[in-house]
Amino acid sequence: MKLFGMSGSGNCYKPQLLMSQLGMDFEWVELDLRAGASRTADFLAMNPNGKVPLLEIEPGTTLPESNAILWYLAEGTPFLPEDRLERARVLQWMFFEQYSHEPNIATVRFWIAFLGNPESHQQKIAECRPRGYAALDVMEGELARRSYFAGDRYSIADIALYAYTHVAHEGGFELDRYPAINDWLQRVREQPGHVPMATGDRA
Amino acid sequence: MKLFGMSGSGNCYKPQLLMSQLGMDFEWVELDLRAGASRTADFLAMNPNGKVPLLEIEPGTTLPESNAILWYLAEGTPFLPEDRLERARVLQWMFFEQYSHEPNIATVRFWIAFLGNPESHQQKIAECRPRGYAALDVMEGELARRSYFAGDRYSIADIALYAYTHVAHEGGFELDRYPAINDWLQRVREQPGHVPMATGDRA
């Protein structure tokens, strides 16, 4: 399989991490989104929504959306529980991640650490900051009661939330105030086959 | 089961529609979010993220996130395909809905049709408008090639995207320019057991 992604992107890191932990062979195809690589005619033919990551399952069959890719790859593996309610909990946290977490935490990191001109995004950062902390508060509350987000064991829900939480400090979020999150980050890092996020040549 | 929701909310309409089509008995518990009903201590104990819809499966067991609720309810029914790739396609479109569609289309409708003071959200509306149309463009391209979003038949992916697309005009989106979307909206409305969105006493 081919995984089209951009180094440093948490969304792209999710399938990179899972495929590594599943011991799968895959080819990473690096795209520079800032240079428009996801808006070319060739790429839009594969994903009309113009986003990475994109998984090429076989030539002509592609799957976008990081969390849909995680689900597809994890089916039938220990990374996705079998119980109906636990599976719904995995999705609960993956939708939480894409709606309440990523748009407030990943975006701020992008403006500050990637674009390097936080001044021009000051108003947006001010809007996202409290929402990002609200998402971290929800995570902290959950992790004070359980070790993992679904089914009492490491699953793709943890991978989805780890992706941008472990680099939230790059967007100026103070993780020191979240002991349960920090313990969980450590548990995730200690999982067999864990690999760090590809960071490429980001300046 | 109990479904905590707010009339007029597309996210709450999703499980309302599916449960009706599944012929399930459920109790609708109306919450007025504008009056803070999702931020009370009682509600936050059920959903620390303070959002509706919330499904009470049984007392003490609740599930938030509209699309996670759809998946939980649809498991083992004709509304969710059995094929691995088709199931991933359902998730692809549900994550597209929550990340690229809802934040740009539902929000504009909320500011214009619910809060009734679009002037104070003019800049945000101007930001969301092109992104909302971009999401509709992606849907139009897909629906020009297929009748439904996953598995060649009506599924919870269609329910998820119908919820805010069929009322996008209330946020000023011109749906007339999308013939394939309009044909699909009609196909969705013609599904057995279809019910309209609860609109309550919205002025």
Side-chain angles (χ1 to χ4, degrees):
Chain A
M1 297 193 189
K2 281 187 192 173
L3 183 61
F4 295 85
M6 184 174 74
S7 296
S9 154
N11 282 329
C12 298
Y13 174 44
K14 296 172 190 174
Q16 178 212 340
L17 173 54
L18 177 61
M19 292 169 95
S20 298
Q21 293 189 306
L22 286 170
M24 292 176 64
D25 259 337
F26 66 97
E27 178 189 349
W28 174 278
V29 183
E30 179 75 19
L31 295 187
D32 187 349
L33 271 61
R34 287 161 294 186
S38 64
R39 311 298 308 175
T40 64
D42 281 354
F43 190 80
L44 289 172
M46 293 194 293
N47 181 13
N49 203 28
K51 293 186 192 299
V52 289
L54 181 72
L55 182 69
E56 185 185 85
I57 297 170
E58 55 184 31
T61 303
T62 54
L63 181 65
E65 298 293 339
S66 60
N67 291 344
I69 295 171
L70 286 183
W71 188 278
Y72 176 80
L73 294 170
E75 277 275 25
T77 80
F79 297 88
L80 182 55
E82 291 182 9
D83 175 78
R84 181 182 176 187
L85 183 56
E86 289 177 1
R87 291 161 72 85
R89 292 262 176 258
V90 170
L91 288 176
Q92 167 193 334
W93 288 106
M94 294 208 299
F95 281 108
F96 165 84
E97 190 267 335
Q98 283 287 283
Y99 194 87
S100 300
H101 185 285
E102 203 265 15
N104 298 307
I105 293 176
T107 47
V108 171
R109 170 177 175 259
F110 182 75
W111 293 322
I112 292 179
F114 279 68
L115 296 187
N117 57 348
E119 310 74 30
S120 60
H121 294 87
Q122 224 159 9
Q123 194 193 333
K124 282 184 181 179
I125 290 173
E127 280 178 20
C128 288
R129 185 71 71 201
R131 293 182 200 153
Y133 275 120
L136 294 170
D137 289 346
V138 170
M139 289 174 68
E140 180 74 10
E142 187 72 8
L143 291 169
R145 287 191 304 270
R146 60 185 73 246
S147 299
Y148 299 102
F149 282 97
D152 295 322
R153 65 166 198 244
Y154 179 68
S155 75
I156 53 173
D158 300 286
I159 292 179
L161 280 162
Y162 180 80
Y164 284 109
T165 304
H166 87 292
V167 289
H169 61 280
E170 296 182 13
F173 288 95
E174 293 169 19
L175 290 179
D176 293 352
R177 54 175 101 166
Y178 295 107
I181 289 178
N182 279 303
D183 288 350
W184 165 79
L185 289 173
Q186 187 57 30
R187 280 193 293 278
V188 171
R189 273 191 295 267
E190 288 169 355
Q191 293 297 315
H194 183 82
V195 293
M197 179 161 65
T199 50
D201 57 357
R202 176 156 64 95
Chain B
M1 296 194 191
K2 281 186 191 173
L3 183 61
F4 295 84
M6 185 175 73
S7 296
S9 154
N11 282 330
C12 298
Y13 174 45
K14 296 172 189 175
Q16 178 211 341
L17 174 53
L18 177 60
M19 291 169 95
S20 299
Q21 293 188 306
L22 286 170
M24 292 175 64
D25 259 338
F26 66 97
E27 178 188 348
W28 174 278
V29 183
E30 179 75 18
L31 295 187
D32 187 349
L33 270 61
R34 287 162 294 187
S38 65
R39 310 299 309 177
T40 64
D42 281 354
F43 189 80
L44 289 172
M46 293 193 295
N47 181 12
N49 202 28
K51 294 187 190 300
V52 289
L54 180 73
L55 182 69
E56 185 186 85
I57 296 170
E58 55 184 31
T61 304
T62 54
L63 181 65
E65 297 293 337
S66 59
N67 291 344
I69 295 172
L70 285 184
W71 189 278
Y72 176 79
L73 294 170
E75 277 277 23
T77 78
F79 297 89
L80 183 55
E82 290 181 11
D83 175 76
R84 181 180 176 188
L85 183 56
E86 289 177 0
R87 291 162 71 87
R89 291 261 177 258
V90 169
L91 288 176
Q92 168 193 335
W93 289 107
M94 294 208 298
F95 281 108
F96 166 84
E97 190 267 335
Q98 283 287 284
Y99 194 87
S100 299
H101 186 285
E102 203 265 15
N104 299 306
I105 293 177
T107 46
V108 172
R109 170 176 174 260
F110 182 75
W111 293 321
I112 292 179
F114 280 67
L115 297 186
N117 57 347
E119 309 75 28
S120 60
H121 293 87
Q122 223 159 9
Q123 193 193 333
K124 284 185 179 177
I125 291 172
E127 279 177 19
C128 288
R129 185 72 73 201
R131 293 183 199 154
Y133 275 120
L136 294 170
D137 289 347
V138 170
M139 289 175 67
E140 180 75 10
E142 187 72 8
L143 291 169
R145 288 191 303 270
R146 59 185 75 245
S147 298
Y148 298 102
F149 281 97
D152 293 325
R153 65 167 198 243
Y154 179 68
S155 76
I156 53 173
D158 300 286
I159 291 178
L161 280 162
Y162 180 80
Y164 284 108
T165 304
H166 88 292
V167 290
H169 61 280
E170 296 181 12
F173 288 96
E174 293 170 19
L175 290 178
D176 293 352
R177 54 174 100 165
Y178 294 107
I181 289 179
N182 279 302
D183 289 350
W184 166 78
L185 289 174
Q186 186 59 29
R187 280 193 293 278
V188 172
R189 274 192 293 268
E190 287 169 355
Q191 293 297 315
H194 182 82
V195 293
M197 179 161 65
T199 50
D201 56 358
R202 176 156 62 95

